[in-house]
């Protein structure tokens, strides 16, 4: 079991909006640590999608956005496209584990 | 071009050892903390270990503590992971990734393509 909890899968039709949740606790997200999101296309390395809760690296479309509240964070994808089909991971830090960077279990996004 | 290239993966027997390497280019390696992240077949990402810019600080996941050792050579822009007492559950693709701004809380904006480690008799 991952320290950060994500739904195993979400789906949506092209053009729709989907959200992926990342639920933590008072020792990680709730402690104020930043949440980052990664996209992993099949057979490739992860790619940074959102950093510092709600910031997009250069080149990431503004269809992707992040938010954080309390002990949870969310990734929203609007105007869903076929190429968005991938695995998505949240990541943060946990102060109950020495020097630990933690990932969510990952969410598989299927574009119907 | 900013790039990380891992090498050293392969097939090893349980209890054996392996040394992974990661060659960095296109950025000032000595200015960034680095980490290793692994992904077992069909599973999610798992943070393995991090090292600070001058090697003063190293951190390990509980699952690898005492068996894996992270190190770096800033003169050669190289990161390493010495893996001892390997177990079947260490089987995974191992990614080298750059850590931005803070070793514990920063994102990883640069990733290598990964190297595969298989532990099997």
């Amino acid at each position: 079991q991952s320290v950060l909890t994500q739904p195993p899968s979400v789906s949506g039709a092209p053009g729709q909006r989907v959200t992926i949740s990342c639920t933590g606790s008072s020792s990680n997200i709730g402690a104020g640590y930043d949440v980052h999101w990664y996209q992993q296309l099949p057979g490739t390395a992860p790619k940074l999608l959102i950093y510092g809760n709600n910031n997009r690296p250069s080149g990431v479309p503004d269809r992707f956005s992040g938010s954080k509240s309390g002990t949870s964070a969310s990734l929203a994808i609007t105007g869903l496209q076929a190429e968005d089909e991938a695995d998505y991971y949240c990541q943060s830090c946990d102060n109950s584990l020495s020097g630990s960077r933690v990932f969510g279990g990952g969410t598989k996004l299927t574009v119907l | 071009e900013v790039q990380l290239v891992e090498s050293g993966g392969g097939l090893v027997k349980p209890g054996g050892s392996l040394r992974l390497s990661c060659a960095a280019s296109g950025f000032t390696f000595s200015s960034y903390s680095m980490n290793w992240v692994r992904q077992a077949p069909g599973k999610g990402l798992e943070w393995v270990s991090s090292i600070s810019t001058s090697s003063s600080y190293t951190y390990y996941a509980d699952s690898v503590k005492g068996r894996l050792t992270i190190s770096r050579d800033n003169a050669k822009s190289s990161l390493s992971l010495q893996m001892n007492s390997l177990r079947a559950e260490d089987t995974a693709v191992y990614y080298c990734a750059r850590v931005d701004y803070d070793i514990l809380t920063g994102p990883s904006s640069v990733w290598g393509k990964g190297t595969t480690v298989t532990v099997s008799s």
Side-chain angles (χ1 to χ4, degrees):
Chain A
Q1 296 88 334
S2 302
V3 173
L4 303 178
T5 301
Q6 299 180 232
S9 63
V10 297
S11 62
Q16 285 190 331
R17 178 182 187 269
V18 297
T19 61
I20 298 173
S21 61
C22 175
T23 303
S25 67
S26 58
S27 63
N28 41 68
I29 299 175
Y33 296 116
D34 281 347
V35 177
H36 318 299
W37 291 90
Y38 301 88
Q39 177 192 59
Q40 187 176 33
L41 297 170
T44 69
K47 169 192 167 185
L48 181 64
L49 201 62
I50 297 288
Y51 68 94
N53 308 314
N54 55 15
N55 301 287
R56 285 185 309 277
S58 172
V60 173
D62 59 7
R63 301 186 297 105
F64 295 90
S65 63
S67 64
K68 175 186 148 181
S69 178
T71 59
S72 295
S74 289
L75 172 71
I77 309 172
T78 58
L80 208 54
Q81 299 180 3
E83 56 261 37
D84 297 333
E85 187 160 293
D87 293 322
Y88 293 83
Y89 296 90
C90 60
Q91 183 234 315
S92 187
C93 172
D94 193 293
N95 62 27
S96 70
L97 307 165
S98 176
S100 191
R101 298 166 63 85
V102 291
F103 285 96
T107 298
K108 168 69 177 177
L109 168 63
T110 300
V111 180
L112 302 170
Chain B
E1 180 192 7
V2 174
Q3 198 171 10
L4 295 171
V5 179
E6 303 93 337
S7 60
L11 175 63
V12 62
K13 289 181 169 52
S17 298
L18 209 57
R19 187 176 182 88
L20 306 184
S21 296
C22 171
S25 59
F27 65 99
T28 305
F29 180 75
S30 58
S31 296
Y32 292 88
S33 296
M34 298 293 295
N35 64 190
W36 290 96
V37 175
R38 69 185 181 185
Q39 186 169 35
K43 302 296 185 183
L45 302 175
E46 180 188 15
W47 169 77
V48 173
S49 180
S50 298
I51 187 167
S52 61
T53 54
S54 59
S55 304
S56 298
Y57 300 96
T58 56
Y59 301 97
Y60 298 92
D62 286 344
S63 58
V64 306
K65 206 170 290 185
R67 301 185 301 115
L68 274 57
T69 303
I70 192 172
S71 62
R72 65 189 297 162
D73 184 337
N74 287 340
K76 296 182 178 178
S77 295
S78 176
L79 178 73
S80 296
L81 186 68
Q82 177 65 42
M83 310 173 72
N84 298 330
S85 303
L86 284 164
R87 307 166 179 167
E89 53 264 38
D90 295 317
T91 295
V93 174
Y94 284 73
Y95 295 102
C96 161
R98 188 181 85 178
V99 181
D100 296 329
Y101 54 84
D102 185 274
I103 188 173
L104 296 178
T105 65
S108 286
S109 62
V110 182
W111 294 68
K113 288 182 166 52
T115 188
T116 300
V117 173
T118 303
V119 183
S120 175
S121 54

